[in-house]
Amino acid sequence: MAVVVVGSWVSGLLGQFWPQLAWPIYSGTPGEEGSVRMWKALIYSVVLPGVGMSMLNVFLKLYHREHERPKFVTYPHLHIRSKPFPWGDDNHTLIHNPHVNLLPTGYEDE
């Protein structure tokens, strides 16, 4: 009996104070007062720093020196081709990069 009384008293107490302490997480209706404030806070705290970090990443990658290519080692299981590529040459993929992608004989520009 005492547990029920204490439980109802605690739930009543939380019911009184919870609406004042709660931060609305949902978007709400367009005319609701907290909705605009929430989206403005999300834009300033999440979106703008994210865009800034992306811009910084691009800026730092522009001045990054190139890496040395690893030495070519022939592994027969890496160059198995059961049929030619539909765009012609059997050795070049559709998005082939001669500096990065290997051919069965080695790098293309060496």
Side-chain angles (χ1 to χ4, degrees):
M1 180 74 171
V3 174
V4 174
V5 172
V6 171
S8 66
W9 178 76
V10 169
S11 66
L13 188 64
L14 287 177
Q16 282 181 338
F17 295 113
W18 185 254
Q20 288 85 12
L21 297 176
W23 179 265
I25 316 175
Y26 58 91
S27 64
T29 59
E32 195 172 327
E33 183 179 327
S35 175
V36 174
R37 184 177 61 215
M38 182 197 64
W39 285 109
K40 188 182 280 191
L42 281 174
I43 287 173
Y44 288 128
S45 63
V46 175
V47 175
L48 291 180
V51 170
M53 296 276 292
S54 298
M55 290 174 61
L56 179 65
N57 185 26
V58 168
F59 178 74
L60 293 176
K61 291 281 184 181
L62 285 175
Y63 297 106
H64 188 67
R65 289 185 284 154
E66 292 194 26
H67 296 285
E68 291 184 18
R69 293 192 295 197
K71 183 182 147 197
F72 175 72
V73 179
T74 303
Y75 295 113
H77 66 278
L78 292 179
H79 303 290
I80 297 173
R81 292 182 172 81
S82 59
K83 60 182 181 176
F85 291 116
W87 43 87
D89 189 7
D90 184 36
N91 288 328
H92 294 85
T93 61
L94 185 62
I95 52 172
H96 181 78
N97 183 351
H99 183 71
V100 178
N101 299 119
L102 292 170
L103 296 175
T105 58
Y107 289 105
E108 187 174 345
D109 55 358
E110 282 185 347

